[in-house]
Amino acid sequence: MKNIYVGELAEKWEFCSDHIPVFMRLKDEEGEEFNVVTCNVLNDAYLGWLIDKDSQGINGSAITQYNYKKEGEKLTERNHLMIDTMKKIMNNPKSGMIMLQECSTPFLKALEKDLPGNWKLTTIDKPLVDREAILYNPEYVSLKGTVLPVDPYPSAPGRSLMHAIFEKRGGDKKRIHVVNAHVPGDPNLPCRDEFADYVKKLPKDDIWLAGGDLNFERLDMIHAFEKAGLFEERYPEQVFYSPAYHTNIHPRSDSADTFGPGAYHSKAIDHMFTSSLFEPLNPADV
């Protein structure tokens, strides 16, 4: 995909986060399948980058238009719109799992209170400004436990990584290790390699699914996974799903920016890797 200069989109950006969700269908040899989604919901704590600095050229978008609280509400209207979006995704009969990044504690509490049907939420048991979380449908998977790695990014101490272990319902009841990540985006740090190294250590006999806001584009992540030896038995296209659309806008930098496609250029930095079979999904079909 060619990075396109989109300029300052302002009100033309109509989604309530600065990341567009990514959708795939996880499958296996027995024909069992369910949809998986990853989405960075945009923590209110970082809105200064969009409003005051307008670093991505989307001040005036739906993100800022709905950045207000109705009387008596604890969350902004933007957060409520994001929760409504997640509920629409969950209401699809094939929806099985949603991986979320940049969640604030108030957002997670409101989301968990408003979950449809028998959906459940699990998150990191650690006080953080923002947390990763996973929504899951017990019709497809059951939660067996969570792991809280200690400094999974040695070059960025204190950054979190969510690792949850699920079991498939019915069929072979195989375990699925889900690694939900918001990889630190500093190009001068080896965080993408550290993420790949963590995935490499997952049990080979289990299914693994790793992804989220990885902050680096397709080739950068392929190189990281190649270095970790994760493509030794299969081609990248059989393991790595990067959407056929861009998910984010590269920000303007006040310093010389020699990394990335350039200010106000589109880029895809939200991806998923899996050891299972999968197929891409169009957001319009979910």
Side-chain angles (χ1 to χ4, degrees), residues 142-161:
S142 59
L143 180 66
K144 292 302 176 183
T146 57
V147 179
L148 185 59
V150 177
D151 283 334
Y153 308 104
S155 64
R159 286 295 294 264
S160 66
L161 179 74

Side-chain angles (χ1 to χ4, degrees), residues 19 159 182-186 212-217 221 248 259 267 269-271:
H19 289 253
R159 286 295 294 264
H182 187 186
V183 176
D186 187 341
D213 175 3
L214 304 188
N215 258 318
F216 293 91
E217 294 194 89
M221 293 311 305
N248 187 250
F259 184 85
K267 61 181 180 178
I269 58 174
D270 302 85
H271 320 280

Side-chain angles (χ1 to χ4, degrees), residues 26-281:
L26 203 65
K27 310 176 75 174
D28 63 22
E29 293 83 354
E30 297 182 357
E32 296 177 356
E33 57 185 35
F34 59 85
N35 299 345
V36 179
V37 179
T38 179
C39 182
N40 180 322
V41 300
L42 180 58
N43 196 312
D44 287 341
Y46 307 130
L47 286 182
W49 292 98
L50 296 175
I51 300 173
D52 302 329
K53 295 187 177 182
D54 196 16
S55 60
Q56 292 171 279
I58 50 178
N59 190 12
S61 67
I63 297 169
T64 55
Q65 289 176 29
Y66 294 103
N67 184 39
Y68 63 87
K69 296 179 182 179
K70 291 183 177 179
E71 186 175 353
E73 291 286 344
K74 294 182 179 180
L75 291 181
T76 65
E77 190 65 10
R78 181 189 74 83
N79 281 284
H80 284 297
L81 287 172
M82 181 58 72
I83 290 173
D84 288 344
T85 299
M86 294 303 109
K87 288 168 63 178
K88 288 177 182 177
I89 294 172
M90 285 184 272
N91 284 331
N92 185 296
K94 280 288 185 181
S95 287
M97 189 177 296
I98 304 175
M99 302 159 63
L100 302 177
Q101 304 87 44
E102 274 196 34
C103 302
S104 69
T105 298
F107 174 84
L108 288 177
K109 287 182 177 179
L111 175 60
E112 187 168 29
K113 187 177 179 181
D114 207 15
L115 290 177
N118 61 349
W119 276 79
K120 298 183 181 297
L121 183 151
T122 184
T123 186
I124 294 174
D125 186 19
K126 187 177 181 181
L128 298 166
V129 173
D130 61 52
R131 292 185 282 172
E132 292 82 36
I134 298 173
L135 303 170
Y136 64 97
N137 186 345
E139 291 184 15
Y140 293 104
V141 294
S142 59
L143 180 66
K144 292 302 176 183
T146 57
V147 179
L148 185 59
V150 177
D151 283 334
Y153 308 104
S155 64
R159 286 295 294 264
S160 66
L161 179 74
M162 184 178 184
H163 177 181
I165 304 169
F166 295 90
E167 185 178 86
K168 289 166 54 182
R169 301 296 296 266
D172 56 16
K173 295 187 178 295
K174 288 200 73 169
R175 292 203 165 196
I176 306 175
H177 289 256
V178 180
V179 181
N180 181 15
H182 187 186
V183 176
D186 187 341
N188 299 308
L189 297 177
C191 295
R192 57 192 183 277
D193 297 327
E194 293 163 350
F195 168 71
D197 289 339
Y198 186 89
V199 176
K200 174 68 174 180
K201 296 173 184 175
L202 297 176
K204 292 185 178 180
D205 292 335
D206 294 335
I207 295 170
W208 53 261
L209 170 67
D213 175 3
L214 304 188
N215 258 318
F216 293 91
E217 294 194 89
R218 176 183 174 83
L219 287 179
D220 297 310
M221 293 311 305
I222 285 178
H223 292 157
F225 269 49
E226 284 176 338
K227 286 172 64 177
L230 282 157
F231 297 142
E232 291 175 352
E233 298 180 2
R234 297 167 66 188
Y235 293 109
E237 291 75 13
Q238 297 173 303
V239 176
F240 179 36
Y241 174 50
S242 186
Y245 53 88
H246 287 141
T247 60
N248 187 250
I249 299 171
H250 195 70
R252 181 188 71 251
S253 175
D254 295 330
S255 59
D257 186 359
T258 59
F259 184 85
Y264 302 148
H265 279 68
S266 64
K267 61 181 180 178
I269 58 174
D270 302 85
H271 320 280
M272 286 185 273
F273 294 81
T274 181
S275 62
S276 185
L277 302 174
F278 70 89
E279 65 175 318
L281 290 177

